Amino acid sequence: MKTISRSALVAFLALAASACTASSPTPPPATAGNPAAAPGAPVAYGAPNAQGVQGAPGIVGTSPANALVSPLGIAPANGTAQPIDPTLAGAAGALLDRFAGSLAPGMSREGAPIAANFQTGQTMEQIIPLQTGRCYTVVAAGPTVQSWDLSLILVTNPVPLQPVLAHETRNGTPAALAGSGNCFKWNFLPAQARVVVRVDQGGGVAVAQVYGK
């Protein structure tokens, strides 16, 4: 599994935070017509997009005081494959459930699964929250998929750079990014990342699920 080095990521986050601090204007004082938002107010995540596909896990958390984190209520692009209801994934869903215990041992589901009907070279995506100290694995399955390309990409705001945190290519099905006990651990401030699943060979219905512990 290819992962970004810790020193490179620390340098990038420091640079991004510095750029954001330098460019952020001073917020206006609270007035009767413009009440100040209370710090740490609860934020609801996981609003569905226009196709009814959930873009982020349906959780409620506390908004961290971190300039790199953009609101998770903004639905991400779903990739180029045709999204479908994960409950209709059929054999793909059954495969994922059958092998998830070995590919993501001791881990629980993070948010909802995503599913799509693929042609070769197409992708599906999901934005997930990264919580400090948690470890993540992505499992994908599709009975007629022969080759996968799986990525976890850091999303930063307002800095446009999006470093790849983890990347793997796998043959056969099911497949996993940071699987079989080698989960990807996030040791920095809470942030968000894009899970990108690409089918390099084969096609048809496939489903993916993020697991964490």
Side-chain angles (χ1 to χ4, degrees):
M1 176 181 66
K2 298 180 180 178
T3 61
I4 188 170
S5 69
R6 180 180 178 86
S7 58
L9 186 55
V10 169
F12 171 80
L13 292 174
L15 178 62
S18 175
C20 181
T21 301
S23 61
S24 298
T26 302
T31 65
N34 181 31
V43 179
Y45 300 150
N49 62 14
Q51 288 76 33
V53 177
Q54 189 176 26
I59 61 175
V60 176
T62 299
S63 178
N66 179 7
L68 296 179
V69 179
S70 59
L72 290 179
I74 301 175
N78 290 316
T80 56
Q82 178 62 46
I84 65 171
D85 186 335
T87 62
L88 303 178
L95 272 174
L96 188 144
D97 290 339
R98 178 181 175 186
F99 290 97
S102 59
L103 293 174
M107 307 179 80
S108 57
R109 291 175 181 261
E110 295 272 322
I114 52 174
N117 193 355
F118 285 85
Q119 295 181 18
T120 301
Q122 290 185 329
T123 62
M124 66 179 176
E125 300 186 15
Q126 181 183 41
I127 287 184
I128 64 167
L130 297 176
Q131 299 298 330
T132 307
R134 283 189 69 77
C135 210
Y136 299 93
T137 293
V138 180
V139 180
T144 54
V145 176
Q146 287 87 49
S147 180
W148 307 84
D149 187 292
L150 307 171
S151 299
L152 187 67
I153 303 171
L154 182 66
V155 177
T156 58
N157 182 33
V159 181
L161 300 178
Q162 296 189 5
V164 176
L165 301 175
H167 172 256
E168 292 188 48
T169 56
R170 294 288 181 182
N171 294 326
T173 191
L177 171 67
S180 302
N182 299 309
C183 57
F184 172 80
K185 190 168 185 179
W186 180 252
N187 290 317
F188 303 93
L189 290 175
Q192 61 179 354
R194 289 168 53 221
V195 175
V196 181
V197 177
R198 189 178 76 207
V199 170
D200 283 347
Q201 292 182 20
V205 173
V207 61
Q209 172 72 56
V210 179
Y211 294 84
K213 68 177 181 179

